[in-house]
Amino acid sequence: AQSVSQHNHHVILSEAASLELGCNYSYGGTVNLFWYVQYPGQHLQLLLKYFSGDPLVKGIKGFEAEFIKSKFSFNLRKPSVQWSDTAEYFCAVNADNYGQNFVFGPGTRLSVLP
Amino acid sequence: DSGVTQTPKHLITATGQRVTLRCSPRSGDLSVYWYQQSLDQGLQFLIQYYNGEERAKGNILERFSAQQFPDLHSELNLSSLELGDSALYFCASSDKQGARRTEAFFGQGTRLTVV
């Protein structure tokens, strides 16, 4: 079965620090990749998505992610975090012919200190 | 606002009881997914429906069932509730049956507390 792992359970940064959250998936076929964000007490919102083409995708709020097929990775980055980025971040995979559902990683909690 | 509506927002019930959670997908979306989010288990996929038919099943307990109606809204029924069923239940919708080039839009969730 396909699975998604996220490298860090909890990341603590100061404002203006750079962010990189790791995500790896286990599936060798064609995949669609996503990063979702969940602010405290809210639902999941899409940050960015990759379907095909340029492996560097830009999302909302200054986030970007890079798909590296050879490493089965889709890491999320932001050059300078803000206090308002404090949230839980989920990497997700949706693969053709694989149950047609979105498989989520365990999430990474990001705390940004003012 | 994602366009996915879930009711109720909060639900408190006793062990052994049965509850029904409701989800209205975004206009035009045919696929509905149910997820359970708890502190120790993360976001777990329960079940997917597409245009009224079950399409994929995840870690859904036998005490749980779901269905999608002709108007495309979906209901998740949880019965013989246990304390461990306390969680946030999310519904999501997408516009396609398959995985290619589709994204999921999530509702606000129903927080279920079993006491």
Side-chain angles (χ1 to χ4, degrees), chain B residues 7-47:
Chain B
T7 56
K9 285 191 172 53
H10 302 276
L11 200 48
I12 302 175
T13 190
T15 53
Q17 294 299 305
R18 171 190 168 95
V19 297
T20 297
L21 312 184
R22 182 188 169 104
C23 169
S24 294
R26 286 189 326 153
S27 176
D29 282 358
L30 298 177
S31 269
V32 169
Y33 310 79
W34 285 98
Y35 288 84
Q36 179 193 57
Q37 186 180 36
S38 57
L39 282 174
D40 56 344
Q41 296 284 332
L43 203 62
Q44 296 288 315
F45 168 70
L46 296 178
I47 199 164

Side-chain angles (χ1 to χ4, degrees), chain A residues 18-81:
Chain A
S18 64
L19 169 73
E20 179 157 3
L21 301 182
C23 170
N24 287 90
Y25 62 94
S26 65
Y27 182 66
T30 301
V31 292
N32 302 311
L33 298 158
F34 309 84
W35 275 97
Y36 282 84
V37 61
Q38 186 178 27
Y39 297 104
Q42 295 192 25
H43 64 290
L44 278 78
Q45 302 170 44
L46 184 69
L47 267 182
L48 47 79
K49 61 193 177 192
Y50 172 80
F51 292 153
S52 65
D54 188 344
L56 186 61
V57 293
K58 294 194 184 301
I60 60 171
K61 306 188 184 201
F63 286 92
E64 65 178 31
E66 184 175 13
F67 170 53
I68 303 179
K69 190 174 181 178
S70 61
K71 295 185 177 180
F72 299 90
S73 70
F74 190 56
N75 292 353
L76 181 72
R77 297 196 290 251
K78 185 172 184 178
S80 175
V81 295

Side-chain angles (χ1 to χ4, degrees), chain A residues 32 36 49 52 96 99-100 102, chain B residues 35 48 99-101 103-104:
Chain A
N32 302 311
Y36 282 84
K49 61 193 177 192
S52 65
D96 284 354
Q100 301 163 358
F102 295 81
Chain B
Y35 288 84
Q48 179 203 0
R100 190 173 294 277
R101 296 179 181 274
E103 62 187 83

Side-chain angles (χ1 to χ4, degrees), chain B residues 43-92:
Chain B
L43 203 62
Q44 296 288 315
F45 168 70
L46 296 178
I47 199 164
Q48 179 203 0
Y49 280 84
Y50 176 79
N51 204 19
E53 293 188 12
E54 182 184 307
R55 276 290 178 262
K57 217 167 187 176
N59 301 320
I60 188 165
L61 300 172
E62 283 193 13
R63 300 183 284 108
F64 296 0
S65 64
Q67 58 184 122
Q68 187 179 27
F69 294 86
D71 67 353
L72 301 177
H73 91 272
S74 177
E75 293 181 356
L76 179 67
N77 299 297
L78 315 175
S79 61
S80 303
L81 284 167
E82 301 174 0
L83 295 177
D85 298 327
S86 296
L88 201 50
Y89 291 84
F90 283 109
C91 167

